[in-house]
């Protein structure tokens, strides 16, 4: 008798699963689907599930089982951070009540309000949050595409690409040249390339002190420029050469098979080459019809809602929102605004005005940390900076050390906030 | 037999020597100078003297020879409580070690203090703390270190009752760096502070009387109601 009852119950719950919207007291739980489990998507999924106490059905779609942060991956290159310490699992997010599905989202039907997965499944939503990060613009650097990323790594999505780049730098011949092709604006993590140059310089100054670093940059200026240039001159004198657009830095082609970089027609032989191409919103944002001609997904500044669809929100690097830099901190900050709005619209909980903030820490050398940050608010057409700060050149060593220690505190804080 | 005895006594000697040398070197500090060190280094979180109460940190009367985490009415970190249960007692050596580098002695402590490396200043400070431990008759009538607030706030501001739910929303901005567990891993824990101390700290950042650019930027756009809401939320948050 008991067995029969159990069998009966099991078949009922299986049927409900097929129907995908099990009735709870006569009402379906509203469904939120989040595409992308990084700093933005992970945060929004966990916050909605945690704060709604089960009143909202939250599904997170993320292909990888372990997320490796881009932030601090330069510190791994420099030998200041372990590779494993960059990785975070989804157990904490699942424990908050999120249904974590490890699969690729390959399509969004915004009329039917469903997300199609690579496995063939179709996941319905009431509200969709798209947080796919970045993809690279095709042919942004002539001669380079992802089929060449083993020869010339981008190492700009963390994970194995960063391991590969580190390995190549470690095995570079004595006195060899490390070349970085820096990206045009806008791109993820504005101080990232400068910090990477610093960390590679740190590594080379210890193991290969006659090596050279060549930065080919299409931009007139770059984030924290004065701080980085001061640091390079102080810690790594003579090692770093930067070619800006005035000397052809915007006219670059690479030949990965020959390990050559052609700058304004002049061929340079290099030993390791890190190509960071121009960027656009992650592919799924484009497939979902959420992007504009610039390749990014425009959003309403007050709530990160897609201007294309009132039931869709776009977070983090993929969004075109205004003044906030594309960073993990920004994505985490935007996610909290979206979580508050989505939960409010689905459950009637209080909706508070948007608040955004960001700080980016960078490490230049041992115990030499700097930071830049700002608070933001929703303007009429875009997110605008309210007030900002940046570390100063010539700061005391003790302050720089404190800034570095603070960055470690931030890393531990934000990953606890995202992944639980 | 004789050889064995000798080696044992040598071992004992080796064990004792650093302790006694240490005790000799640090026994005497200047309590008067220590009062100044206390005001600069400790007073923003700890009270001492007659009428001292727990604030962000516990009061420090009778700290000498007291067991760690032994005030029942103060919420300590789990780490300090474990050490207290394991017998950590605030004797001269332990106080020196803790003040020199809190996290080296108690790795999970919530005390957000970088440590005082200067041994002479540390000795002065400990001499000052000692005044309030074994000679209670010396506790002055008016607490000499009563907090002079960093910023004068009107009673109206201090009386605002914080909206905890709003505070929870606002706290999300804090949680990017300050962990809800109260853990202190390079950025201070802010969980369980008395509301008034929280309000004073945030207004001090807002008015740029307290240094730290990130906190000044965050505080700059927090209104009085919002600061009160955050104070109310974090005061209630359990570790």
């Amino acid at each position: 008798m008991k067995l029969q009852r159990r069998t009966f119950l099991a078949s009922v719950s299986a049927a409900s699963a097929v129907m995908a919207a099990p009735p709870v007291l006569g009402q379906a739980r509203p469904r939120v689907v989040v595409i992308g489990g990084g700093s933005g998507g992970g945060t929004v999924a966990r916050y909605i599930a945690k704060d709604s106490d089960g009143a909202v059905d939250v599904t997170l779609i993320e292909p990888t089982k372990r997320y490796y942060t881009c932030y601090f991956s330069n510190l791994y290159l420099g030998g200041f951070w372990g590779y494993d310490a960059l990785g975070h699992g989804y157990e904490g997010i699942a424990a908050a009540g999120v249904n974590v599905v490890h699969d690729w989202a390959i399509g969004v039907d915004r009329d039917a309000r469903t997300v199609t997965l690579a496995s063939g499944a179709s996941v319905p939503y009431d509200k969709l949050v798209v947080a796919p990060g970045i993809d690279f613009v095709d042919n942004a650097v002539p001669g380079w595409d992802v089929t060449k990323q083993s020869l010339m790594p981008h190492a700009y999505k963390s994970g194995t690409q960063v391991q590969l780049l580190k390995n190549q730098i470690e095995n570079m011949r004595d006195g060899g040249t490390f070349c970085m092709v820096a990206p045009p604006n806008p791109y993820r993590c504005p101080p990232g390339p400068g910090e990477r140059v610093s960390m590679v310089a740190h590594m080379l100054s210890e193991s290969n002190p006659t090596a050279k670093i060549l930065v080919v940059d299409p931009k007139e200026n770059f984030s924290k420029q004065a701080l980085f240039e001061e640091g390079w001159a102080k810690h790594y004198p003579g090692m770093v050469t930067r070619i800006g657009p005035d000397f052809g830095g915007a006219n670059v082609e690479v030949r990965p098979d020959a390990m050559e970089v052609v700058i304004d027609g002049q061929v340079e032989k290099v030993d390791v080459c890190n190509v960071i191409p121009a960027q656009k919103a992650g592919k799924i944002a484009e497939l979902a019809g959420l992007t504009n001609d610039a390749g990014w997904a425009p959003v309403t500044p007050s709530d990160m809602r897609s201007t294309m669809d009132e039931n869709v929100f776009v977070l983090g690097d993929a969004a075109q929102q205004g003044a906030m830099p594309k960073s993990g901190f920004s994505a985490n900050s935007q996610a909290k605004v979206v979580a508050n709005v989505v939960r409010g619209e689905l459950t009637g909980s209080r909706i508070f005005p948007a608040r955004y903030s960001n700080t980016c820490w960078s490490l230049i050398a041992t115990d030499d940390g700097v930071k830049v940050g700002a608070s933001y608010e929703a303007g009429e057409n875009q997110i605008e900076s309210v007030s900002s700060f940046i570390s100063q050149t010539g700061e005391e060593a003790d302050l720089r050390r404190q800034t570095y220690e603070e960055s470690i505190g931030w890393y531990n804080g934000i990953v606890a906030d995202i992944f639980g | 037999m004789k050889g064995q005895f000798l080696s044992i006594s040598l071992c004992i000697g080796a064990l004792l020597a650093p302790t006694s040398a240490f005790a000799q070197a640090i026994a005497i500090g200047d309590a008067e100078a220590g009062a100044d060190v206390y005001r600069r280094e400790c007073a923003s979180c700890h009270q001492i003297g007659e009428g001292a109460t727990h604030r962000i940190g516990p009061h420090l009367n009778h700290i000498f020879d007291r067991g760690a985490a032994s005030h029942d009415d103060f919420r300590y970190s789990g780490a300090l409580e474990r050490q207290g249960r394991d017998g950590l007692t605030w004797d001269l050596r332990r106080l020196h070690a803790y003040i020199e580098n809190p996290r080296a002695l108690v790795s999970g402590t919530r005390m957000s203090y970088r440590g005082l490396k200067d041994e002479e200043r540390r000795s002065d400070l400990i001499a000052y703390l000692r005044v309030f431990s074994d000679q209670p008759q010396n506790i002055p009538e008016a607490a000499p270190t009563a907090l002079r607030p960093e910023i004068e706030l009107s009673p109206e501001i201090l009386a605002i009752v914080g909206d905890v739910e709003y505070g929870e929303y606002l706290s999300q901005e804090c949680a990017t760096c300050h962990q809800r567990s109260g853990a202190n891993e390079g950025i201070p824990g802010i969980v369980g502070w008395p509301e008034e101390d929280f309000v004073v700290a945030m207004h001090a950042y807002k008015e740029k009387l307290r240094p730290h650019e990130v906190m000044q930027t965050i505080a700059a756009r927090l209104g009085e109601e919002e600061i009160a809401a955050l104070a109310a939320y974090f005061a209630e948050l359990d570790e």
Side-chain angles (χ1 to χ4, degrees):
Chain A
M1 192 62 192
K2 269 183 187 166
L3 188 67
Q4 275 177 343
R5 181 173 168 78
R6 198 172 297 158
T7 313
F8 172 74
L9 278 175
S11 66
V12 166
S13 59
S16 313
V18 171
M19 286 159 63
V24 179
L25 298 172
Q27 267 192 320
R29 280 200 302 164
R31 294 159 302 199
V32 171
V33 173
V34 180
I35 299 175
S39 300
T43 304
V44 80
R46 197 173 80 86
Y47 267 73
I48 293 174
K50 161 174 89 69
D51 292 341
S52 70
D53 285 328
V56 179
D57 183 335
V58 185
T59 298
L60 175 66
I61 298 161
E62 162 60 42
T64 64
K65 297 209 165 147
R66 198 161 175 79
Y67 181 81
Y68 287 83
T69 61
C70 273
Y71 33 97
F72 272 45
S73 66
N74 284 329
L75 274 65
Y76 159 69
L77 279 181
F80 293 95
W81 202 254
Y83 183 73
D84 289 342
L86 295 171
H88 306 277
Y90 288 90
E91 307 79 22
I93 291 177
V98 176
N99 175 27
V100 181
V101 177
H102 293 296
D103 202 344
W104 286 94
I106 56 165
V108 177
D109 183 335
R110 293 199 275 113
D111 295 323
R113 281 193 272 156
T114 57
V115 176
T116 308
L117 305 184
S119 63
S122 174
V123 188
Y125 66 82
D126 296 301
K127 301 283 178 194
L128 175 66
V129 182
V130 181
I134 54 138
D135 267 311
F136 299 119
V137 173
D138 295 337
N139 301 316
V141 178
W144 191 93
D145 62 37
V146 289
T147 65
K148 302 296 183 188
Q149 69 178 16
S150 301
L151 295 170
M152 292 188 172
H154 58 78
Y156 226 61
K157 295 182 178 184
S158 199
T160 51
Q161 272 276 299
V162 186
Q163 285 183 303
L164 176 67
L165 183 63
K166 185 176 168 82
N167 188 268
Q168 290 180 356
I169 298 166
E170 282 170 350
N171 290 302
M172 194 166 84
R173 71 178 171 88
D174 283 351
T177 298
F178 166 82
C179 175
M180 170 191 284
V181 178
N185 291 320
Y187 61 95
R188 103 175 346 168
C189 189
E195 184 185 57
R196 175 165 295 173
V197 166
S198 306
M199 291 294 94
V200 171
H202 171 78
M203 181 178 163
L204 291 174
S205 66
E206 292 189 337
S207 63
N208 190 349
T210 56
K212 297 289 179 199
I213 295 177
L214 177 64
V215 183
V216 186
D217 195 342
K219 303 182 292 298
E220 297 280 350
N221 304 299
F222 61 101
S223 175
K224 295 179 183 163
Q225 182 163 1
L227 296 167
F228 282 126
E229 288 180 344
E230 177 194 56
W232 297 342
K234 178 180 170 190
H235 301 293
Y236 320 112
M239 188 177 262
V240 182
T241 304
R242 176 173 173 268
I243 299 178
D246 43 350
F247 288 93
N251 179 19
V252 64
E253 176 197 333
V254 294
R255 297 171 181 162
D257 296 305
M259 286 308 287
E260 288 172 353
V261 178
V262 188
I263 306 160
D264 217 16
Q266 187 164 336
V267 178
E268 298 282 342
K269 198 85 179 138
V270 300
D271 296 278
V272 175
C273 190
N274 173 207
V275 177
I276 310 173
Q279 296 162 25
K280 60 180 183 178
K283 185 82 179 161
I284 188 67
E286 189 182 328
L287 293 174
L290 300 169
T291 53
N292 57 18
D293 290 344
W296 304 101
V299 295
T300 309
S302 58
D303 55 9
M304 304 300 290
R305 194 187 307 266
S306 168
T307 57
M308 318 275 183
D309 189 328
E310 63 174 4
N311 292 312
V312 179
F313 299 78
V314 184
L315 280 186
D317 293 353
Q320 185 181 72
Q321 35 69 23
M324 294 183 79
K326 299 184 184 301
S327 72
F329 196 126
S330 291
N332 171 265
S333 172
Q334 293 159 6
K336 291 161 182 174
V337 171
V338 172
N340 181 250
V341 170
V342 166
R343 196 160 61 86
E345 290 182 357
L346 295 176
T347 69
S349 61
R350 286 166 74 184
I351 296 177
F352 299 105
R355 316 175 64 83
Y356 302 107
S357 53
N358 176 69
T359 301
C360 291
W361 286 265
S362 303
L363 186 61
I364 298 175
T366 306
D367 285 337
D368 192 356
V370 293
K371 62 187 169 187
V372 59
S375 55
Y376 302 86
E377 64 184 24
E380 204 166 309
N381 301 310
Q382 58 172 16
I383 295 177
E384 293 164 357
S385 171
V386 184
S387 63
S388 64
F389 60 87
I390 184 165
S391 296
Q392 302 300 305
T393 52
E395 284 174 341
E396 297 287 327
D398 195 48
L399 177 58
R400 290 292 178 89
R401 185 169 54 83
Q402 283 180 42
T403 302
Y404 171 55
E405 287 171 4
E406 187 179 285
S407 73
I408 294 171
W410 164 76
Y411 187 89
N412 292 323
I414 195 170
V415 296
D417 194 37
I418 299 163
F419 296 99
Chain B
M1 202 50 197
K2 195 178 174 189
Q4 205 173 5
F5 174 76
L6 268 177
S7 71
I8 288 170
S9 66
L10 276 173
C11 280
I12 292 171
L15 276 173
L16 287 178
T19 314
S20 47
F22 180 83
Q24 273 172 11
I26 59 156
I28 304 159
D30 176 352
E32 208 168 309
D36 184 56
V37 178
Y38 182 88
R39 273 191 292 274
R40 288 169 189 275
E41 302 288 325
C42 316
S44 60
C45 294
H46 293 280
Q47 290 190 350
I48 197 166
E50 189 172 298
T53 58
H54 303 320
R55 305 301 301 184
I56 293 167
H59 77 69
L60 297 176
N61 290 339
H62 307 291
I63 185 73
F64 267 76
D65 296 327
R66 173 182 273 286
S70 59
H71 285 293
D72 292 337
D73 52 349
F74 185 80
R75 265 167 53 194
Y76 296 92
S77 63
L80 198 63
E81 280 187 351
R82 276 190 296 282
Q83 294 255 24
R85 280 196 300 274
D86 291 348
L88 175 63
T89 298
W90 296 123
D91 59 20
L92 192 64
R93 272 182 61 198
R94 271 22 180 283
L95 279 172
H96 260 284
Y98 195 56
I99 296 167
E100 182 178 4
N101 187 346
R103 282 192 276 166
L105 185 70
V106 183
S107 63
T109 182
R110 278 218 306 252
M111 184 161 85
S112 302
Y113 181 58
R114 294 167 51 80
L116 183 59
K117 306 281 175 278
D118 184 327
E119 189 177 321
E120 188 182 335
R121 293 182 73 212
R122 221 163 54 229
S123 293
D124 291 346
L125 172 62
I126 290 171
Y128 175 73
L129 293 177
R130 196 164 174 272
V131 170
F132 300 93
S133 278
D134 62 349
Q135 300 161 285
Q137 69 276 18
N138 288 354
I139 293 180
E141 286 301 310
T145 54
L147 276 179
R148 239 194 53 208
E150 303 169 77
I151 179 167
E152 295 291 342
L153 295 176
S154 71
E156 290 77 31
I157 290 179
L158 293 172
I160 297 170
V161 178
D163 174 345
V164 175
E165 199 180 341
Y166 188 29
E168 182 175 7
Y169 170 71
L170 295 171
S171 78
Q172 296 175 1
E173 186 172 21
C174 316
T176 303
C177 298
H178 299 278
Q179 298 189 41
R180 286 183 202 280
S181 65
N184 170 12
E185 299 177 279
I187 286 185
I190 53 172
V191 169
W193 286 20
E195 288 182 52
E196 184 180 332
D197 294 335
F198 195 103
V199 169
V200 165
M202 292 306 292
H203 279 277
Y205 284 124
K206 190 176 166 70
E207 301 303 325
K208 300 197 191 301
L209 294 170
R210 230 187 232 208
H212 197 276
E213 286 167 314
V214 178
M215 286 309 304
Q216 289 176 354
T217 305
I218 296 286
R221 61 168 171 178
L222 291 170
E224 292 164 6
E225 297 283 345
E226 288 162 330
I227 288 174
L230 281 167
Y233 172 73
F234 278 113
E236 283 187 8
L237 192 62
D238 267 320
E239 189 180 337

